[in-house]
Amino acid sequence: QVQLVESGGGLVQPGGSLRLSCSASANIFSTYTLTWYRRAPGSQREFVASVTVGGSVNYADSVMGRFTISRHNANNTMYLQMNNMKPEDTAVYYCKPLDGTSAWGQGTQVTVSS
C-alpha cells in the first residue's frame, strides 16, 4: 500500500517552532490532496491541516494562525511549519493522501515541553 514518510519531529519548548516534512511518490504528490493528522495519547487521530494539488489549504481551529502547510512540487515534499507551539500540540504527527487506500505510516513524535 502507498505510504508517506514523515520526519522532523522532536522536543520543542512552548512558544518554539518546528518544521515537519513528508515525502511522497511523484504520482501521489501530483494527484491527491495531502493531509496532516495527529494523535495524542488517549485521543483519536485528529485532522490538523490539508493542501490540495492546486495549493488550497485548510486548518483545524486548534492550529489556525500558528501552523502553515505547504507543498514543494520540485522534490515531492510536503511541510508543516509549526510556530508558537503549545504543550497540547504534543502528539505523533502523520501525513496521508486522500486517495482512499494509503495506510498510516509510523508518524513522527512531537513533544512540546519546558
Side-chain angles (χ1 to χ4, degrees):
Q1 298 185 67
V2 176
Q3 292 187 352
L4 283 72
V5 180
E6 308 92 343
S7 62
L11 177 63
V12 190
Q13 296 184 171
S17 298
L18 195 65
R19 188 176 76 160
L20 305 183
S21 299
C22 174
S23 63
S25 70
N27 178 61
I28 289 294
F29 200 86
S30 64
T31 304
Y32 301 102
T33 292
L34 304 176
T35 70
W36 286 100
Y37 279 74
R38 67 186 182 187
R39 195 211 299 267
S43 300
Q44 295 277 358
R45 186 180 282 113
E46 65 177 354
F47 172 80
V48 176
S50 66
V51 57
T52 69
V53 173
S56 296
V57 299
N58 191 32
Y59 299 96
D61 289 343
S62 58
V63 307
M64 186 76 71
R66 300 187 299 116
F67 290 11
T68 302
I69 188 172
S70 62
R71 58 192 297 154
H72 295 241
N73 296 336
N75 59 359
N76 298 322
T77 302
M78 176 178 64
Y79 300 98
L80 184 68
Q81 178 66 48
M82 304 181 291
N83 298 324
N84 190 25
M85 299 191 71
K86 305 175 180 180
E88 51 263 44
D89 294 323
T90 296
V92 177
Y93 285 70
Y94 305 85
C95 62
K96 190 177 185 298
L98 296 184
D99 65 344
T101 61
S102 292
W104 296 102
Q106 75 279 10
T108 185
Q109 176 71 52
V110 172
T111 302
V112 184
S113 176
S114 59

